[in-house]
């Protein structure tokens, strides 16, 4: 039996708990039953929540896979203060709006049919005579592109930084690494100590391949530096390290766990020598902005591709109604012209909107 590293109690069959090395919301699926008791696991869950909140833009836009459950929708605000909802894949929809015209008439605007139905069911308590199915059947679907900037806060507060320290410590203990200052790290995670060890790193990225977006937690041993370093990289943007052992005398080693990558793990290149040269590169806002803008541009490329596919799929659905298969078993010139025109109109509208927003990067 092992002991919980946060409270030192013995882990038994009655209090054992599956601790994700990295939060499942970030793509982690590696678990251990030997790290935390159930009480400490539950108590520190709020830290992981606080880490994931400012990362929801990236989690949603990159469709980070979870072991269980779906990526939740979340709300954001535009520059003008309007509320919008963000779905997985960073699909933006307007919030539900209700406007009363008079005692018997109202206008309801909803992001989709399901949301409209839920709101109509609630409205039926106030307007018992409304026919929900007729309203939904008569509803008009309309494509709109957001013409305003969406604001996000990506600030990592103290609880989020404690979660980062916990992830690195989780993985180091999982990998059976000898750690020098265990009490200092544990006190900080438990919220009773100061952070004198977790450093933000903005040097050259040790794990990379072209413009692939990579999240990794790793333990790196450097014979030249005489150190063992715990390193965390989140979506190529947030990079932190902890010197876990500063009297290391063994050979160089590199033990990464990639919990998100948009490329092939086999293609990832590694350069652990960066810590021999860049260990003092702690804070560089230019590098941070550069990394964020690279990721945003890649997300934008994906959105363009997804919107093209959505427009094409939608036109196909409209064609099934306009040209029923029993009457049009083969493609006709009329069908080809209709398809081409509808797709061209949809893509032109989208690209005009996109050109107006082409400078929406971090400043």
């Amino acid at each position: 039996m092992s002991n919980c590293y946060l409270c030192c109690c013995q882990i038994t069959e009655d209090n054992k708990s599956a601790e994700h090395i990295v939060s499942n919301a970030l793509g982690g699926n590696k678990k251990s039953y030997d790290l935390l008791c159930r009480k400490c696991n539950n108590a520190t869950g709020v830290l992981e929540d606080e880490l994931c909140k400012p990362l929801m833009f990236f989690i949603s836009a990159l469709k980070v896979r979870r072991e269980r459950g779906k990526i939740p929708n979340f709300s954001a605000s535009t520059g003008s203060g309007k509320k919008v909802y963000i779905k997985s894949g960073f699909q933006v929809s307007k919030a539900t709006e209700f406007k009363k015209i008079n005692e018997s008439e109202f206008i309801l605007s909803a992001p989709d049919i399901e949301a409209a139905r839920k709101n109509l069911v609630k409205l039926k308590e106030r307007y018992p005579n409304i026919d929900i199915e007729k309203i939904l059947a008569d509803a008009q679907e309309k494509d709109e592109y957001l013409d305003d900037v969406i604001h996000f806060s990506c600030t990592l507060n103290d609880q989020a930084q404690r979660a980062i320290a916990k992830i690195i410590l989780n993985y180091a203990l999982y990998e059976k690494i000898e750690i020098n200052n265990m009490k200092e790290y544990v006190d900080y995670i438990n919220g009773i100590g100061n952070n004198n060890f977790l450093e933000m790193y903005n040097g050259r990225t040790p794990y990379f391949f072209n413009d692939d977006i990579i999240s990794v937690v790793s333990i790196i041993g450097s014979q030249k530096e005489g150190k063992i370093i715990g390193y965390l990289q989140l979506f190529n943007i947030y990079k932190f390290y902890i010197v876990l052992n500063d009297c290391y005398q063994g050979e160089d080693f590199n033990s990464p766990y990639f919990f998100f990558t948009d490329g092939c793990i086999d293609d990832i290149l590694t350069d652990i020598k960066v810590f021999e040269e860049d260990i003092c590169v702690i804070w560089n806002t230019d590098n941070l902005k550069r990394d964020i803008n690279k990721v945003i541009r890649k997300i934008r490329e994906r959105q363009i591709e997804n919107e093209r596919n959505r427009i094409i799929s939608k036109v196909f659905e409209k064609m099934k109604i306009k040209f029923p298969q029993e009457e049009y078993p083969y493609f006709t010139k009329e069908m080809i012209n209709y398809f081409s025109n509808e797709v061209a109109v949809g893509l032109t509208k989208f690209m005009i909107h996109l050109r107006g927003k082409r400078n929406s990067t971090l400043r």
Side-chain angles (χ1 to χ4, degrees):
M1 286 292 181
S2 58
N3 290 346
C4 170
Y5 75 82
L6 289 183
C7 73
C8 296
C9 78
Q10 188 178 52
I11 296 177
T12 66
E13 287 296 320
D14 293 331
N15 70 0
K16 73 177 183 179
S17 179
E19 164 68 5
H20 278 85
I21 305 301
V22 178
S23 172
N24 186 228
L26 293 171
N29 53 31
K30 194 183 290 288
K31 292 178 279 196
S32 173
Y33 287 88
D34 298 323
L35 295 177
L36 297 179
C37 67
R38 185 180 298 111
K39 181 179 179 181
C40 288
N41 194 352
N42 292 338
T44 54
V46 65
L47 304 182
E48 293 160 350
D49 292 341
E50 287 300 310
L51 175 60
C52 291
K53 283 178 185 176
L55 299 177
M56 277 307 300
F57 168 80
F58 304 104
I59 292 171
S60 175
L62 296 170
K63 296 183 178 180
V64 175
R65 290 185 180 181
R66 297 182 172 212
E67 187 179 41
R68 62 181 185 273
K70 298 179 180 179
I71 297 174
N73 300 341
F74 67 101
S75 61
S77 297
T78 66
S80 59
K82 284 189 176 182
K83 188 176 181 181
V84 294
Y85 287 102
I86 314 295
K87 299 180 181 179
S88 177
F90 205 71
Q91 301 177 55
V92 183
S93 61
K94 293 170 61 178
T96 300
E97 295 179 355
F98 174 79
K99 183 178 179 181
K100 184 177 179 180
I101 299 175
N102 53 49
E103 289 302 319
S104 60
E105 293 181 305
F106 60 85
I107 296 175
L108 176 68
S109 174
D112 51 48
I113 290 294
E114 290 76 14
R117 183 183 295 278
K118 287 180 181 179
N119 281 274
L120 286 170
V121 169
K122 292 179 181 178
L123 283 171
K124 194 170 177 64
E125 297 176 3
R126 294 164 55 189
Y127 303 93
N129 294 327
I130 65 173
D131 186 335
I132 294 177
E133 297 306 321
K134 184 176 186 308
I135 292 174
L136 292 176
D138 294 340
Q140 295 182 351
E141 184 177 341
K142 185 179 180 182
D143 279 342
E144 291 184 358
Y145 293 111
L146 196 66
D147 58 357
D148 201 353
V149 176
I150 299 176
H151 288 253
F152 296 95
S153 173
C154 296
T155 302
L156 301 182
N157 62 22
D158 178 67
Q159 287 183 308
Q161 292 179 55
R162 286 162 56 197
I164 289 169
K166 180 181 172 222
I167 289 172
I168 294 175
L169 204 61
N170 274 356
Y171 189 58
L173 294 171
Y174 181 82
E175 290 290 298
K176 312 299 183 186
I177 297 299
E178 185 178 345
I179 300 172
N180 284 152
N181 302 310
M182 189 70 181
K183 185 178 185 306
E184 183 181 18
Y185 308 146
V186 168
D187 284 349
Y188 177 61
I189 294 169
N190 281 328
I192 57 176
N194 297 320
N195 174 21
N196 300 314
F197 51 87
L198 181 65
E199 300 284 7
M200 193 165 191
Y201 173 77
N202 285 112
R204 293 182 292 120
T205 304
Y207 301 98
F208 59 94
F209 184 76
N210 293 333
D211 288 328
D212 285 359
I213 300 170
I214 296 167
S215 290
V216 57
V217 59
S218 182
I219 307 299
I220 301 167
S222 172
Q223 185 181 58
K224 181 178 178 180
E225 290 291 314
K227 294 174 181 176
I228 296 177
I229 297 165
Y231 172 76
L232 178 66
Q233 175 177 316
L234 296 170
F235 306 116
N236 288 17
I237 297 170
Y238 298 98
K239 305 168 192 174
F240 289 86
Y241 75 88
I242 296 173
V243 177
L244 298 169
N245 188 319
D246 57 7
C247 53
Y248 178 66
Q249 298 178 344
E251 297 182 353
D252 289 357
F253 71 89
N254 169 39
S255 178
Y257 165 42
F258 299 101
F259 52 93
F260 175 83
T261 173
D262 60 349
C264 177
I265 291 179
D266 294 335
D267 293 331
I268 294 174
L269 304 177
T270 301
D271 180 14
I272 62 173
K273 298 293 184 182
V274 301
F275 284 103
E276 296 178 4
E277 304 166 15
D278 296 343
I279 196 70
C280 293
V281 182
I282 296 173
W283 181 250
N284 186 316
T285 55
D286 290 337
N287 284 354
L288 181 62
K289 288 182 179 181
R290 177 205 62 203
D291 291 339
I292 292 177
N293 285 330
K294 278 185 178 179
V295 174
I296 289 176
R297 282 195 294 271
K298 185 148 190 178
I299 289 172
R300 191 167 187 161
E301 290 170 4
R302 289 186 178 188
Q303 288 181 305
I304 292 172
E305 182 180 356
N306 291 339
E307 184 61 14
R308 284 174 182 157
N309 293 337
R310 189 194 72 82
I311 290 170
I312 290 171
S313 296
K314 189 172 181 179
V315 173
F316 269 123
E317 292 301 315
K318 290 169 67 176
M319 286 184 67
K320 290 178 183 179
I321 299 173
K322 186 174 180 62
F323 303 100
Q325 190 173 8
E326 58 272 15
E327 298 179 27
Y328 296 86
Y330 305 103
F331 263 81
T332 65
K333 186 176 180 180
E334 181 185 5
M335 293 169 69
I336 293 172
N337 288 337
Y338 176 84
F339 175 80
S340 301
N341 290 335
E342 288 292 310
V343 171
V345 169
L347 288 177
T348 299
K349 181 180 177 182
F350 174 62
M351 294 310 292
I352 289 173
H353 166 78
L354 193 65
R355 280 196 293 271
K357 299 296 178 187
R358 63 183 179 275
N359 291 323
S360 57
T361 53
L362 182 74
R363 296 186 183 279

